[in-house]
């Protein structure tokens, strides 16, 4: 199920919600949903689905680049110590991407991304101490006002065992250190 401006469940193979397929032609769909986000926990298939939709409908992609985060591998081995720098790096990386897109004429370009800025605050709430979270929220609130909300959010879900299996299968070295407990926390 997909909803405008809200996060809902959707089957991975359903590129367009039935409601949209039945009531809109492609031109109307493209005009209505300029800013589309595919979200969900790590390993659920956000990037794969984002790329498939982008290819099918010639949309500009905005993809998370976790490999650029110099703190992420350390975070996976010591969540407590590296949570704040990891979160701040992702926050600023995503802000830079979104601001650049906004400046490039957001209203003329349809785009789809595999991340939603608002999800960063959820991760921060899971991983940061109260004091760190307070600082993070101040930075987030100060910076995020420059960003437009998505027109459509597609939220993917899978059980923690499936996520762990997919993470292992894709074989990204730094992801070997992700604990199953962390995956379960993200899934709840």
């Amino acid at each position: 199920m997909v909803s405008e401006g809200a996060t809902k469940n959707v089957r991975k193979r359903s590129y367009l919600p039935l409601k949209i397929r039945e009531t809109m032609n492609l031109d109307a769909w493209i005009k209505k949903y300029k800013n589309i986000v595919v979200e969900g926990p790590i390993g659920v298939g956000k990037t794969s689905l984002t790329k498939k939709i982008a290819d099918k409908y010639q949309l500009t992609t905005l993809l998370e680049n976790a490999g650029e985060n110099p703190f992420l591998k350390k975070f996976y081995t010591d969540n407590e110590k590296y949570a704040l720098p990891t979160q701040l790096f992702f926050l600023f990386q995503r802000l830079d991407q979104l601001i650049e897109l906004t400046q490039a004429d957001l209203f003329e370009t349809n785009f789809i991304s595999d991340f939603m800025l608002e999800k960063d605050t959820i991760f921060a709430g899971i991983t940061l101490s109260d004091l760190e979270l307070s600082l993070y929220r101040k930075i987030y609130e100060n910076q995020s006002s420059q960003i437009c909300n998505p027109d459509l959010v597609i939220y993917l879900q899978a059980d923690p065992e499936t996520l762990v299996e997919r993470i292992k299968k894709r074989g990204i070295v730094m992801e070997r250190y992700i604990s199953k407990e962390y995956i379960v926390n993200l899934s709840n």
Side-chain angles (χ1 to χ4, degrees):
M1 201 178 345
V2 177
S3 174
E4 296 172 51
T7 308
K8 300 287 181 181
N9 299 330
V10 67
R11 290 189 188 125
K12 185 176 178 183
R13 296 188 189 269
S14 178
Y15 296 125
L16 285 174
L18 184 58
K19 179 181 173 188
I20 295 172
R21 286 186 302 216
E22 290 175 349
T23 60
M24 301 177 114
N25 63 32
L26 182 58
D27 291 334
W29 181 79
I30 293 295
K31 287 178 185 172
K32 183 168 180 148
Y33 302 111
K34 292 282 197 185
N35 176 350
I36 303 167
V37 172
V38 178
E39 253 307 349
I42 185 172
V44 77
K46 297 179 298 286
T47 303
S48 297
L49 183 59
T50 298
K51 288 178 179 179
K52 286 178 183 179
I53 293 172
D55 288 345
K56 183 169 179 102
Y57 299 103
Q58 292 85 48
L59 305 177
T60 299
T61 56
L62 197 58
L63 303 174
E64 175 182 73
N65 192 348
E68 288 183 0
N69 191 329
F71 304 102
L72 192 56
K73 182 178 178 181
K74 293 175 182 180
F75 169 76
Y76 289 144
T77 58
D78 188 348
N79 299 66
E80 222 172 275
K81 183 175 181 182
Y82 293 100
L84 183 60
T86 301
Q87 284 302 136
L88 288 176
F89 185 91
F90 276 131
L91 176 63
F92 287 118
Q93 179 190 55
R94 292 168 181 166
L95 282 166
D96 287 347
Q97 288 176 285
L98 290 166
I99 290 168
E100 182 179 321
L101 186 68
T102 301
Q103 292 171 348
D105 198 359
L106 177 65
F107 300 103
E108 294 300 319
T109 305
N110 288 68
F111 73 95
I112 185 166
S113 68
D114 65 353
F115 66 87
M116 187 167 84
L117 190 63
E118 292 83 353
K119 189 179 88 173
D120 279 13
T121 60
I122 296 169
F123 274 83
I126 293 170
T127 60
L128 299 178
S129 70
D130 290 343
L131 189 59
E132 291 171 331
L133 185 58
S134 176
L135 173 63
Y136 177 88
R137 283 191 173 140
K138 286 179 184 175
I139 295 169
Y140 176 87
E141 289 167 10
N142 181 272
Q143 298 295 311
S144 64
S145 62
Q146 306 171 54
I147 306 303
C148 296
N149 290 324
D151 301 313
L152 177 69
V153 175
I154 302 169
Y155 191 79
L156 306 177
Q157 290 181 310
D159 60 81
E161 292 76 23
T162 301
L163 297 173
V164 169
E165 183 181 308
R166 288 177 182 171
I167 292 166
K168 285 181 183 176
K169 186 177 178 182
R170 66 185 180 189
I172 297 173
V173 175
M174 78 174 101
E175 293 179 352
R176 289 183 199 160
Y177 305 103
I178 300 173
S179 71
K180 186 171 182 182
E181 178 185 358
Y182 178 70
I183 298 298
V184 169
N185 284 340
L186 293 181
S187 299
N188 291 335

